[in-house]
Amino acid sequence: LFSSLKRMNVGDLLKLTSYRAYLQKKNDASYNAVVFGGTGATGQYILKELESSELCKKIVVVRRSKSEGTINPKIHEVVWKDFSPYLLEDAEKRKTYCENVTNEEFETYEKEMETLFKDANVLYIALGTTMKRVNRNKKLWLLIDEDYIMGAAHRVQQYAENLFHVSLVSSIGADASSSIFYLSAKGRVDDAMIKLSKSNKIPTVSIFRPSFLYRDTESEVFPWYLKATNAILFGPTKNYRATHTKDVARAIVVNAENQYLSLSDQEDTRVSIFETNNIHLLASNSRESL
């Protein structure tokens, strides 16, 4: 669909073995991040990676509720109880989900976003929910996994003065032409993200398409089964191996920082797509090098 879209190969990933040395050479470099979805399974690990990053100096985290406990000094927490007034742009959807919001309030929200996002250099989007959480309501699921994601991307790209990179968490098999509802929606978002970033001349975009995700939860047994099946998946089926959300987050942040440090005066947006196999390689390689 897009001529500049490419898949990262193993050779590209292995170049990151010199990542620490590269950071030391660029010790005067730093960036400001914006994170949407910081409370989710992957997003919370993205935050942890950014907190420990020597390169990331400021993190604007947009969330629905205030976090508990002590917050890292580099984090600027923004609480929006309802994302709709901020992120919805479609007039009909605004009527449906923002019927009690006045024009004056919309203007206030716009000014708030301009202030929040103007210094952003890297955008991380890990927004999403499950059908179970929205009681199988497809309309509500699309509001979160499509409208909010694209709204977040558009708002940050609209107000950021020097946005260099966008990272998006998608799904294995994402394809706008798919007959499967979930994969079709994810594919539409991926395509729209690339189109939006190209129109705004964002230098680099990375889309991560993991398969099954798991995290350490004592009450869950199923993730252990997913990890066990990894050993029997070979060849093309490797992309369907289970991945720990921590590894996805690590791959996302290391890739974004590498992209940020290797920026060039290119005219076209450089798009990279990482599927499960390459996510595993990038995450394991970053552990060794960092």
Side-chain angles (χ1 to χ4, degrees):
L1 181 61
F2 300 98
S3 60
S4 65
L5 187 150
K6 68 183 183 68
R7 297 178 187 274
M8 296 293 286
N9 57 45
V10 177
D12 293 328
L13 298 175
L14 293 181
K15 291 178 183 178
L16 295 176
T17 54
S18 59
Y19 188 70
R20 179 179 291 279
Y22 196 37
L23 277 181
Q24 291 174 344
K25 289 181 181 179
K26 299 280 188 175
N27 58 12
D28 60 333
S30 63
Y31 73 94
N32 299 321
V34 173
V35 179
F36 278 87
T39 58
T42 302
Q44 62 182 304
Y45 284 113
I46 289 176
L47 282 183
K48 289 180 179 179
E49 292 287 335
L50 293 176
E51 287 175 7
S52 62
S53 169
E54 296 178 0
L55 193 60
C56 182
K57 300 303 181 184
K58 179 182 176 182
I59 312 164
V60 173
V61 184
V62 183
R63 53 194 304 168
R64 289 191 180 89
S65 59
K66 189 174 179 60
S67 61
E68 299 178 359
T70 305
I71 300 177
N72 187 293
K74 70 166 72 173
I75 289 181
H76 176 65
E77 187 176 72
V78 181
V79 178
W80 293 345
K81 292 183 179 180
D82 184 1
F83 280 11
S84 294
Y86 294 90
L87 303 183
L88 291 183
E89 299 174 287
D90 180 81
E92 290 302 315
K93 290 181 180 178
R94 276 195 169 189
K95 287 181 182 179
T96 302
Y97 296 102
C98 312
E99 58 182 351
N100 296 320
V101 181
T102 66
N103 289 333
E104 289 75 15
E105 287 175 318
F106 278 125
E107 291 178 4
T108 300
Y109 297 151
E110 292 288 343
K111 292 179 181 178
E112 179 185 350
M113 288 187 287
E114 182 177 7
T115 301
L116 286 173
F117 303 145
K118 68 177 181 178
D119 296 327
N121 304 122
V122 177
L123 170 62
Y124 297 95
I125 303 179
L127 277 173
T129 189
T130 63
M131 279 293 184
K132 183 178 180 180
R133 289 185 177 180
V134 295
N135 296 317
R136 314 300 299 178
N137 185 325
K138 291 184 177 181
K139 186 176 180 180
L140 184 55
W141 183 86
L142 286 172
L143 176 71
I144 298 169
D145 275 65
E146 190 165 9
D147 293 313
Y148 284 176
I149 286 176
M150 290 311 303
H154 183 264
R155 291 309 194 188
V156 175
Q157 293 190 24
Q158 176 183 358
Y159 292 119
E161 296 176 356
N162 292 290
L163 187 68
F164 297 110
H165 181 76
V166 176
S167 288
L168 171 68
V169 180
S170 182
S171 171
I172 189 74
D175 184 348
S177 64
S178 175
S179 60
I180 300 174
F181 172 79
Y182 177 82
L183 298 181
S184 175
K186 288 297 181 183
R188 288 197 305 272
V189 170
D190 289 0
D191 291 348
M193 187 67 67
I194 295 169
K195 183 177 180 180
L196 176 66
S197 299
K198 282 177 172 287
S199 67
N200 288 326
K201 301 186 183 303
I202 305 304
T204 60
V205 177
S206 293
I207 297 174
F208 290 79
R209 293 176 175 173
S211 183
F212 297 105
L213 296 175
Y214 68 91
R215 52 183 169 177
D216 296 328
T217 306
E218 292 181 358
S219 62
E220 294 179 330
V221 177
F222 189 52
W224 298 104
Y225 166 75
L226 289 177
K227 290 198 293 185
T229 60
N230 284 359
I232 62 173
L233 295 176
F234 299 97
T237 63
K238 275 188 175 183
N239 276 326
Y240 293 90
R241 291 181 298 167
T243 308
H244 198 296
T245 52
K246 183 186 301 183
D247 288 333
V248 177
R250 183 178 291 114
I252 288 171
V253 173
V254 170
N255 169 70
E257 295 189 346
N258 184 65
Q259 298 276 19
Y260 177 67
L261 290 173
S262 60
L263 287 173
S264 60
D265 296 328
Q266 62 199 50
E267 295 184 3
D268 297 326
T269 299
R270 184 170 70 241
V271 181
S272 303
I273 292 182
F274 294 83
E275 294 186 340
T276 304
N277 191 36
N278 283 343
I279 291 172
H280 281 218
L281 289 171
L282 180 53
S284 61
N285 187 62
S286 69
R287 278 197 297 266
E288 293 170 2
S289 60
L290 295 175

